[in-house]
């Protein structure tokens, strides 16, 4: 999982947002990032899902059927709570 989390963090950064932390468990991912004022959350999620799905499938034939589930949840964190959220 650390390899996948690292790759997802790189994808977030390519959207002009600033990744702070990526983590999670086998069936879901949590990402804390600063949203660029010129980018939508929908765009960031689409980029992450599309590109990470392609990459995961290329790792090993075992993952050739991999697909993210539809949907996502997004929550805002105030600037004063970032350290506690990390």
């Amino acid at each position: 999982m650390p390899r996948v989390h690292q790759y997802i963090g790189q994808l977030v950064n390519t959207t002009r947002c600033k990744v702070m932390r990526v983590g999670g468990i086998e069936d879901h991912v949590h990402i804390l990032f600063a949203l660029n004022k010129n980018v939508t959350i929908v765009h960031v999620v689409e980029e992450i899902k599309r590109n990470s799905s392609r990459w995961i499938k290329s790792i090993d034939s075992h993952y050739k059927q991999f697909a993210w589930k539809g949907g996502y949840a997004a929550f805002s964190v105030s600037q004063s709570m970032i350290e506690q959220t990390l």
Side-chain angles (χ1 to χ4, degrees), residues 20-60:
M20 295 176 203
R21 174 89 36 105
V22 180
I25 57 174
E26 294 175 5
D27 65 348
H28 69 275
V29 175
H30 293 178
I31 308 166
L32 179 64
F33 65 94
L35 184 64
N36 181 297
K37 67 180 181 179
N38 298 315
V39 180
T40 65
I41 291 174
V42 170
H43 173 73
V44 176
V45 172
E46 286 174 348
E47 289 297 305
I48 292 168
K49 285 186 168 189
R50 182 170 39 87
N51 291 305
S52 65
S53 181
R54 288 182 192 158
W55 179 75
I56 290 168
K57 289 176 184 179
S58 75
I59 293 173
D60 188 294

Side-chain angles (χ1 to χ4, degrees), residues 27 45 49 66-72:
D27 65 348
V45 172
K49 285 186 168 189
F66 175 83
W68 293 107
K69 292 188 179 195
Y72 63 92

